[in-house]
Each structure stands twice: as structure tokens, then as C-alpha cells.
């Protein structure tokens, strides 16, 4: 008889068009092959995709309720009145909580996908609670507070960091297991998580790209590539910094350099800045990135805050496009600088790295080959999710179950 597992997420993990949803989607599919899996989640978007989603993966239970609360000052103030972090409030549905409470006792395990899902664990639940976190989220708020120039936003972010830290402490305290990236485990242990309960996992990209033929330096353009959600503050901040501090310098060295910024819904600040920069193109959303991976010579990910492993970086490495990024962009990856990635938080050094990779074919080829090799060895879905299933079986006393 299979172990029964109820996964509670904070959004429908479909379609897998972002790094977080890609991890949740692959995890749900993989777990459903080994356990009797149910899913509960608020519907924040994609209500038209529910039928399509249900045809993709067999579920014993599927519970939802539509929740539409935007990021706004009014919602923030309401979360203060509720005494919970804003994203917990934005994911809250009393109706969904009642549905979960009625069936939770049928499940051996509740798997919380994101810390915001902790609110849905019934008070009288007697089974195992397992926490899968996508980030040490309090750290993201702390970093944003330190990097933000707006004093009001900085103060609000510092307050939110404290509220999220308390909530993540509660979640890790109740959990029997905590799955997180290595750097996030360190951050959670600092706020009280028991290290012996923590297990390493990763957010991965499209590892099927490993099966594609190697990219070629000679057929690439002299171009940079960035891929990401362009209204997410961490991405906007990093790109604004890069375009103001690094782009003019590298453009001066390579006047014919082009920069493709791929992503939907660009923030107005980006649109305004890019309009005055030669060689920078906002492409909009691109469904298939292969043409840009073949066209570009360097992938850049200039993140200054955030947490957890960055799927955009893993995707580029998996395809073999050399990556220049920051320490935040490389978090959670077991890399050697200038072998797997080029990593720095200094604009001048980032320009030097980009210049080196753009013009030195031997360096480019070393990064292309070594990055793909590292992904194949350490960061594939079968390995990461197979390890997760093994740890869950150990947790519930079924250590002899095979994956």
C-alpha cells in the first residue's frame, strides 16, 4: 500500500513557466509515481488551465479556491491587521482551509510547498509535516531592505523580513523534514531550524537541454542574453544596476555588442532606461529560447538580492552558454570561478569577465563544456527528486522502498 501524501502549494503549479512553478510541477509529477498524492492550492491565476492541468497528472484529491489579492498598500495593511506576512495573507482562503481540514487525516504526510502553505496545516493533524522551501524568504526581504534607496520601502521591507522570519521559524519547527538548497539551509539554521532535519534539494531548469548538441563560439553573435520575469523586483534591480554601471563600460570596449533582454511585462523603469541605450533590446516573452541560446555568446544574471538557486543560471549552464553572474546569482551551485561560471559583484570585474569570454574562444569553450558537465553530474531532476523520495520514505519508516 502506497504512502499517502497531500501537497499544499500556494498556487497552481501549472503551466511551469517560472522557476518556482517548474520545480513544483516536476516534484508533483515525480511524487505521484511513488505516493498516493493529492494537491491543495489557492488559484491566484490560470483558472483556465485547471482542466488541462488535471489531464496531465493523476491525483487522488484536488482542492482549490480562487484567491485574488494584489500586491498593494491596502493588502499590506490588512496583513498587518491579521498579524501575518503579506504573501501569507495573499495566499489565504478560509474556504480552502476548511476543505483541507476535512480530508487531511486521510494522509500520512502533508508536504508544504512554500512557507506560506503552513497556514493550511490543521491544528489537530497527526501525520508527518514536510516542508519544501523555494527560498529562505526572510533573507530576500533583508537583502532588499539593505539595497533599496527608497527609505519608506526600506523600512517596510525590514519589517516584512522580521515577520517572514518568524513565520519560517514556525514552519521549520513543526516540520519533520525540511528540503532546501544548501545556502538556504544555512540561512534557516541561523534562525533556529534544526540542521539534522534539513535535506538538500535544488531548483533545476530544463535538463533535457543536455541532450542538445554543443553550442559553437564561431556561429554566435557578439551578444549578451538575459532571461527572467521583468516585473520581479530582484530582476529589475539587478538589470537597472547592470545597465547603469556595467553596460556603458562593456559597450565602450565592444561598440558592436548587442544585449537581448528576454521576458514578459517589463517594469516601466526598465522600459524608460532601455529606450535611451544603444544595442539593448527588450524582446518580450519568448516561448522557445533555443534561437537566443545559439545567437548569444554570454549569459548575464546580475542579481544583487534574492535567495535560493537560480533556475535561469542553471538553464544557461545546461545549454552550455557561458554565464557571468554575481555571488547571489551563483548561490547554491557548487562551482569553480572561471571554470563553471564567472562570478563577481564588482561592476568593473564583471566587465572584465564579459570582455574575456566574448573574445577568448578557449575560455568560452572551457565554460561551455565544464558547466554542462557539472549540471549532468549534480543537477538533474531524476537525481534531485529521487533523493527526495528516498528521504521521505526514511522519514515514514519505509527505508527499503526503491526509487
Amino acid at each position: 500500500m502506497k504512502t499517502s501524501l497531500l501537497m499544499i502549494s500556494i498556487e497552481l503549479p501549472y503551466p511551469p513557466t517560472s522557476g518556482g512553478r517548474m520545480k513544483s510541477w516536476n516534484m508533483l509529477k515525480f511524487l505521484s509515481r511513488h505516493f498516493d498524492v493529492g494537491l491543495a492550492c489557492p488559484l491566484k491565476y490560470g483558472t483556465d488551465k485547471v482542466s488541462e492541468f488535471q489531464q496531465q497528472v493523476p491525483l487522488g484529491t484536488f482542492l482549490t479556491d480562487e484567491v485574488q489579492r494584489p500586491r498593494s498598500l491596502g493588502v499590506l495593511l490588512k496583513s498587518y491587521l491579521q498579524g501575518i506576512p503579506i504573501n501569507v495573507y495573499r495566499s489565504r482562503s478560509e474556504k480552502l482551509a476548511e476543505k483541507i481540514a476535512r480530508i487531511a487525516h486521510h494522509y500520512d504526510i502533508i508536504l508544504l510547498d512554500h512557507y506560506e502553505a503552513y497556514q493550511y496545516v490543521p491544528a489537530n493533524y497527526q501525520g508527518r509535516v514536510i516542508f519544501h522551501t523555494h527560498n529562505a524568504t526572510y533573507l530576500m526581504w533583508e537583502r532588499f531592505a539593505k539595497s533599496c534607496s527608497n527609505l519608506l520601502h526600506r523600512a517596510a521591507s525590514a519589517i516584512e523580513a522580521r515577520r517572514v522570519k518568524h513565520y519560517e521559524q514556525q514552519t521549520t519547527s513543526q516540520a519533520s523534514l525540511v528540503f532546501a538548497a544548501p545556502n538556504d539551509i544555512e540561512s534557516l539554521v541561523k534562525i533556529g531550524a534544526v540542521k539534522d532535519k534539513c535535506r538538500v534539494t535544488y531548483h533545476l531548469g530544463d535538463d533535457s537541454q543536455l541532450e542538445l548538441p554543443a553550442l559553437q563560439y564561431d556561429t554566435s553573435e557578439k551578444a549578451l542574453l538575459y532571461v527572467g520575469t521583468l516585473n520581479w523586483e530582484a530582476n529589475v534591480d539587478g538589470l537597472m544596476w547592470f545597465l547603469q554601471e556595467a553596460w556603458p563600460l562593456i559597450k565602450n570596449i565592444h561598440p558592436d555588442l548587442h544585449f537581448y533582454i528576454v521576458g514578459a511585462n517589463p517594469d516601466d523603469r526598465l522600459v524608460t532606461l532601455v529606450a535611451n541605450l544603444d544595442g539593448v533590446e527588450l524582446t518580450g516573452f519568448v516561448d522557445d529560447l533555443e534561437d537566443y541560446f545559439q545567437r548569444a555568446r554570454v549569459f548575464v544574471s546580475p542579481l544583487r538580492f534574492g535567495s535560493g538557486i537560480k533556475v535561469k543560471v542553471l538553464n544557461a549552464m545546461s545549454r552550455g552558454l557561458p554565464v557571468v553572474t554575481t555571488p547571489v546569482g551563483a548561490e547554491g551551485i557548487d562551482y569553480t570561478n572561471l571554470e563553471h561560471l564567472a562570478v563577481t559583484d564588482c561592476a568593473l570585474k564583471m566587465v572584465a569577465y564579459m570582455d574575456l569570454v566574448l573574445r577568448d574562444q578557449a575560455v568560452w569553450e572551457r565554460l561551455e563544456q565544464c558547466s554542462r558537465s557539472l549540471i549532468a553530474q549534480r543537477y538533474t531532476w531524476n537525481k534531485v527528486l529521487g533523493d527526495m523520495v528516498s528521504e521521505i520514505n526514511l522519514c515514514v519508516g519505509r527505508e527499503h522502498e526503491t526509487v
Side-chain angles (χ1 to χ4, degrees):
M1 185 175 180
K2 284 186 176 181
T3 299
S4 56
L5 180 151
L6 179 64
M7 177 170 159
I8 306 178
S9 192
I10 59 164
E11 61 182 6
L12 184 72
Y14 186 87
T17 52
S18 68
R21 287 201 295 275
M22 186 180 296
K23 174 65 182 291
S24 299
W25 172 240
N26 281 283
M27 187 169 68
L28 180 66
K29 289 192 298 179
F30 198 91
L31 292 176
S32 69
R33 300 205 298 265
H34 298 274
F35 305 109
D36 177 13
V37 172
L39 174 69
C41 63
L43 291 177
K44 298 179 182 176
Y45 70 97
T47 54
D48 59 322
K49 296 293 185 179
V50 170
S51 295
E52 184 179 326
F53 163 76
Q54 289 180 286
Q55 294 171 14
Q56 302 294 318
V57 59
L59 294 172
T61 300
F62 180 44
L63 306 177
T64 64
D65 185 40
E66 190 169 347
V67 178
Q68 299 289 337
R69 295 194 183 102
R71 292 187 182 92
S72 66
L73 178 59
V75 170
L76 176 63
L77 294 175
K78 288 177 181 177
S79 76
Y80 287 158
L81 292 174
Q82 294 281 332
I84 54 177
I86 183 172
N87 286 331
V88 174
Y89 179 67
R90 291 184 64 235
S91 304
R92 172 160 285 188
S93 163
E94 297 299 335
K95 186 176 179 180
L96 181 59
E98 291 171 2
K99 291 180 181 180
I100 292 171
R102 286 197 293 267
I103 58 94
H105 64 280
H106 294 305
Y107 285 88
D108 303 309
I109 298 166
I110 288 180
L111 173 65
L112 304 177
D113 183 38
H114 298 273
Y115 79 98
E116 297 98 325
Y118 174 66
Q119 63 185 305
Y120 289 111
V121 179
N124 61 350
Y125 179 66
Q126 299 298 310
R128 302 278 189 176
V129 174
I130 295 175
F131 176 32
H132 169 256
T133 180
H134 291 242
N135 302 284
T137 311
Y138 82 90
L139 187 61
M140 296 177 66
W141 285 103
E142 284 185 350
R143 287 174 171 173
F144 180 58
K146 291 175 182 176
S147 66
C148 185
S149 58
N150 184 297
L151 292 179
L152 184 60
H153 290 171
R154 180 182 297 181
S157 298
I159 293 170
E160 197 63 19
R162 290 194 294 271
R163 300 201 308 156
V164 171
K165 182 184 295 185
H166 177 68
Y167 211 85
E168 288 182 313
Q169 287 170 332
Q170 288 182 301
T171 309
T172 56
S173 175
Q174 182 164 350
S176 299
L177 282 180
V178 176
F179 287 99
N183 53 301
D184 289 329
I185 289 175
E186 292 178 10
S187 299
L188 292 170
V189 168
K190 287 178 181 177
I191 63 170
V194 177
K195 191 166 187 177
D196 287 346
K197 295 197 301 187
C198 296
R199 302 292 184 271
V200 171
T201 191
Y202 298 99
H203 279 57
L204 304 181
D206 181 7
D207 59 12
S208 68
Q209 294 182 113
L210 293 169
E211 301 169 10
L212 297 175
L215 298 173
Q216 301 298 319
Y217 177 90
D218 290 336
T219 58
S220 66
E221 298 176 9
K222 191 183 283 187
L224 310 179
L225 174 65
Y226 176 91
V227 177
T229 303
L230 299 182
N231 57 4
W232 176 243
E233 189 59 35
N235 293 342
V236 176
D237 171 84
L239 278 170
M240 295 287 288
W241 172 79
F242 179 85
L243 290 168
Q244 291 168 334
E245 302 295 328
W247 175 252
L249 302 177
I250 191 64
K251 185 69 171 174
N252 187 54
I253 299 170
H254 299 277
D256 55 343
L257 186 65
H258 202 82
F259 185 17
Y260 300 109
I261 301 176
V262 178
N265 303 316
D267 186 278
D268 289 343
R269 290 167 291 173
L270 277 177
V271 174
T272 300
L273 180 58
V274 167
N276 299 310
L277 295 175
D278 177 49
V280 182
E281 179 182 345
L282 293 170
T283 70
F285 176 77
V286 173
D287 186 53
D288 185 354
L289 293 171
E290 180 60 17
D291 179 59
Y292 284 96
F293 280 137
Q294 293 194 28
R295 190 185 304 181
R297 193 170 295 173
V298 180
F299 187 92
V300 294
S301 183
L303 289 163
R304 298 199 299 167
F305 67 89
S307 179
I309 204 163
K310 310 305 183 295
V311 171
K312 60 174 72 70
V313 172
L314 290 181
N315 270 338
M317 293 175 69
S318 181
R319 189 61 192 92
L321 184 60
V323 176
V324 177
T325 187
T326 60
V328 172
E331 273 187 328
I333 302 173
D334 187 13
Y335 70 92
T336 299
N337 198 25
L338 289 179
E339 180 177 336
H340 306 108
L341 300 165
V343 182
T344 179
D345 57 5
C346 169
L348 289 175
K349 199 164 187 179
M350 183 170 283
V351 169
Y353 281 159
M354 288 188 292
D355 175 45
L356 176 64
V357 180
L358 283 166
R359 61 180 172 76
D360 193 319
Q361 184 170 349
V363 171
W364 189 95
E365 289 176 346
R366 181 174 71 242
L367 285 163
E368 186 272 335
Q369 293 163 12
C370 292
S371 64
R372 296 191 99 187
S373 178
L374 180 65
I375 296 297
Q377 293 170 17
R378 299 284 299 275
Y379 304 106
T380 64
W381 286 115
N382 279 340
K383 175 171 174 48
V384 167
L385 296 176
D387 290 347
M388 176 179 280
V389 169
S390 296
E391 291 292 347
I392 292 173
N393 281 329
L394 282 170
C395 182
V396 296
R398 295 192 174 186
E399 62 270 25
H400 301 299
E401 298 282 341
T402 57
V403 177

